[in-house]
């Protein structure tokens, strides 16, 4: 895996380094649910999609902005039909895909499916290589809104192609282009959200915005603290590539994992939110705990993630603070909002008292007084600083506005 060095925030008036694929989609980080972490292939069905859509309504998630019901790998049969078309597995989709998308659309939600740039998907189902335009035409006919595009069984110097190639025969930029072009070719009929799942290869953050609307910037989140630490710390160095129309995707929110405690879930969600990652739930909403439900329904954090400015937070180093350590969650984060600045305080390596002087925060600076609100505790205050006792692996997220 490629290593990153943590970059400290030089200024909050950063400009995007690439030109977005601007078709009006993905102006904010997408929010929703993905099936894979729930039951892998067994969750790629109409019943899971419709049950989750119902939960979006009953749990109040739709009203908070969660809108995509995304089905991952294994939704099709193991082979194409005689005309080369993908075939939804009739055992999983007894009434077909369109009946499900129509129902989900009637609820005011959106529906997504999964494909792969290679000749097979990661689970061994038909890939999209060489079939890009025809497959996109099928997606349009079914009313699909979102297309996650994986990177298994792609061109490789190893023969036969392995699921995960360690010696690629080229760049992911090359084999993601045909699907990008196919999606552009139908945009007058249907505007699809194109999610590039190339595992952060080929520095996708430097070119992803000209290909799609979100891009995975790392290998998978495995649902443990090491994954949160690895992915979250890496986000600091590529913050400038996120902007309306295209965002760094830190992978699914693995909340509800037995490998994470409540503090770790709060930091996981909070850091994903302020770095403007898509907020995609990878859990079974039938079994969600009250504590996890409280986290994913935190309206203050969601509002920060969905702020219209669309600029990601990154690290900053206050006077006297230690230097960042590569691969560890740094304590001090900040990012601009349309009506203020968000400050994140992370107890990534030790519990303790964490304080911030607002004059040291990029985007605030100078003298003056500020008012602030912390999103997990609801605590509010006015003044020139704020201080919190934070447990190990917990986080506080403060919205700060100048008075």
């Amino acid at each position: 895996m490629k290593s990153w060095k943590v970059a400290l925030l030089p200024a909050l008036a950063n400009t995007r380094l690439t030109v977005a694929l601007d078709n009006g989609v993905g102006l904010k980080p997408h929010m929703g649910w993905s099936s894979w972490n729930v039951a892998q292939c067994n969750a790629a069905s109409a019943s899971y999609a419709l049950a989750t859509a119902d939960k979006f309504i009953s749990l109040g998630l739709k009203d908070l902005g969660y809108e995509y019901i995304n089905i991952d790998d294994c939704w099709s049969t193991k082979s194409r039909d005689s005309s080369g078309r993908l075939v939804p597995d009739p055992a999983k989709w007894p009434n077909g895909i369109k009946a499900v998308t129509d129902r989900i659309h009637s609820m005011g939600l959106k529906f997504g499916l999964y494909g792969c740039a290679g000749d097979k998907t990661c689970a061994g189902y038909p890939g999209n290589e060489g079939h890009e335009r025809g497959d996109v035409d099928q997606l349009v006919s079914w009313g699909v809104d979102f297309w996650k595009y994986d990177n298994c069984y792609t061109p490789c110097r190893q023969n036969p192609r392995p699921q995960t190639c360690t010696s690629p025969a080229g760049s992911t930029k090359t084999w993601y282009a045909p699907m990008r072009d196919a999606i552009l070719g139908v945009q007058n009929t249907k505007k699809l959200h194109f999610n590039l799942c190339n595992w952060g290869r080929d520095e996708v953050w430097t070119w992803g915005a000209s290909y799609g609307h979100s891009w995975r910037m790392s290998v998978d989140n495995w649902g443990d603290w090491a994954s949160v630490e690895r992915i979250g710390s890496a986000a600091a160095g590529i913050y400038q590539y996120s902007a309306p129309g295209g965002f760094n995707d830190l992978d699914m929110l693995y909340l509800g994992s037995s490998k994470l405690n409540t503090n770790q879930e709060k930091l996981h969600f909070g850091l994903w939110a302020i770095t403007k990652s898509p907020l995609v739930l990878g859990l079974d909403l039938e079994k969600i705990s009250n504590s996890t439900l409280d986290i994913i329904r935190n309206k203050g954090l969601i509002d920060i993630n969905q702020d219209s400015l669309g600029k990601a937070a990154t690290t900053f180093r206050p006077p006297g603070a230690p230097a960042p350590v590569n691969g560890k969650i740094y304590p001090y984060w900040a990012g601009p909002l349309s009506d203020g600045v968000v400050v994140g305080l992370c107890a990534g390596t030790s519990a303790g008292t964490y304080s911030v002087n607002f004059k040291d925060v990029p985007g605030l600076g100078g003298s003056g007084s500020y008012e602030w609100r912390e999103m997990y505790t609801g605590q509010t205050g006015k003044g020139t600083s704020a201080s919190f006792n934070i447990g190990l692996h917990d986080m506080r997220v403060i919205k700060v506005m100048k008075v």
Side-chain angles (χ1 to χ4, degrees):
M1 185 183 76
K2 187 176 180 67
S3 63
W4 290 267
K5 293 183 178 179
V6 176
L8 295 177
L9 182 63
L12 291 178
N14 55 287
T15 57
R16 194 185 198 122
L17 302 186
T18 54
V19 178
L21 179 65
D22 184 9
N23 64 355
V25 175
L27 298 181
K28 297 179 181 181
H30 64 275
M31 297 175 59
W33 171 90
S34 184
S35 64
W36 185 255
N37 291 346
V38 178
Q40 290 75 52
C41 284
N42 291 333
S45 68
S47 59
Y48 267 96
L50 293 173
T52 302
D54 287 338
K55 280 294 185 180
F56 269 33
I57 304 300
S58 65
L59 295 176
L61 299 178
K62 175 194 168 186
D63 292 339
L64 290 167
Y66 293 93
E67 62 175 344
Y68 286 97
I69 307 293
N70 295 337
I71 294 296
D72 210 275
D73 206 347
C74 316
W75 59 268
S76 73
T77 56
K78 280 289 186 113
S79 59
R80 293 173 178 268
D81 68 14
S82 59
S83 299
R85 291 186 293 259
L86 293 167
V87 181
D89 186 338
K92 297 176 178 177
W93 308 89
N95 298 310
I97 299 286
K98 191 172 189 306
V100 174
T101 59
D102 286 348
R103 174 61 191 277
I104 287 174
H105 289 163
S106 75
M107 302 168 75
L109 300 169
K110 295 179 180 178
F111 180 74
L113 280 178
Y114 164 102
C116 193
D119 56 16
K120 289 186 288 187
T121 70
C122 297
Y125 289 76
N128 305 101
E129 184 180 8
H131 297 270
E132 290 86 357
R133 181 54 192 262
D135 292 348
V136 167
D137 286 342
Q138 280 191 273
L139 299 179
V140 171
S141 72
W142 294 333
V144 172
D145 305 291
F146 181 100
W147 186 234
K148 174 183 173 180
Y149 208 46
D150 219 331
N151 192 38
C152 289
Y153 296 103
T154 47
C156 189
R157 292 187 178 91
Q158 298 158 264
N159 189 23
R161 292 182 184 182
Q163 183 204 55
T164 304
C165 179
T166 57
S167 182
S171 166
T172 55
K173 190 173 183 179
T174 300
W175 50 79
Y176 273 68
M179 183 57 72
R180 182 269 317 269
D181 294 343
I183 289 171
L184 284 173
V186 301
Q187 67 176 344
N188 290 334
T189 302
K190 178 74 176 182
K191 297 185 187 300
L192 285 164
H193 183 121
F194 189 26
N195 174 247
L196 315 178
C197 183
N198 82 333
W199 318 326
R201 290 191 173 183
D202 303 307
E203 297 186 335
V204 62
W205 47 88
T206 65
W207 51 269
S210 63
Y211 274 56
H213 307 99
S214 53
W215 46 88
R216 282 276 303 281
M217 43 65 73
S218 73
V219 297
D220 289 358
N221 178 357
W222 301 111
D224 53 14
W225 173 249
S227 293
V228 173
E229 197 171 42
R230 165 177 52 82
I231 297 170
S233 61
I238 57 174
Y239 74 99
Q240 67 269 39
Y241 296 98
S242 286
F247 295 92
N248 294 317
D249 182 353
L250 278 59
D251 201 7
M252 285 177 282
L253 291 158
Y254 223 130
L255 306 179
S257 167
S258 60
K259 301 175 185 178
L260 295 179
N261 61 38
T262 299
N263 281 359
Q264 291 167 340
E265 287 195 343
K266 287 163 65 181
L267 189 148
H268 181 10
F269 189 84
L271 193 54
W272 267 231
I274 69 172
T275 55
K276 299 300 189 289
S277 174
L279 300 179
V280 178
L281 308 172
L283 51 78
D284 188 345
L285 292 176
E286 298 285 350
K287 300 176 181 177
I288 190 170
S289 69
N290 288 334
S291 62
T292 300
L293 189 59
D294 286 344
I295 293 170
I296 69 170
R297 293 197 302 199
N298 188 307
K299 187 176 185 304
L301 281 172
I302 291 170
D303 287 346
I304 287 169
N305 178 259
Q306 297 288 293
D307 182 73
S308 61
L309 194 62
K311 291 185 180 292
T314 188
T315 51
F316 72 99
R317 187 179 178 184
V325 176
N326 194 38
K328 299 296 183 181
I329 302 292
Y330 193 63
Y332 304 101
W333 295 70
L337 301 171
S338 60
D339 58 351
V341 168
V342 62
V343 176
L345 298 177
C346 298
T349 57
S350 62
T353 300
Y354 288 80
S355 302
V356 59
N357 290 313
F358 297 138
K359 66 180 177 61
D360 298 328
V361 176
L364 292 176
S367 60
S369 184
Y370 303 86
E371 59 183 16
W372 55 266
R373 177 173 179 261
E374 200 287 309
M375 299 303 161
Y376 277 125
T377 63
Q379 185 178 350
T380 60
K382 291 183 179 180
T384 59
S385 65
S387 183
F388 304 88
N389 292 319
I390 307 177
L392 179 63
H393 295 167
D394 202 352
M395 181 179 189
R396 295 294 178 265
V397 180
I398 310 107
K399 182 176 179 178
V400 186
M401 295 176 290
K402 197 162 188 176
V403 177

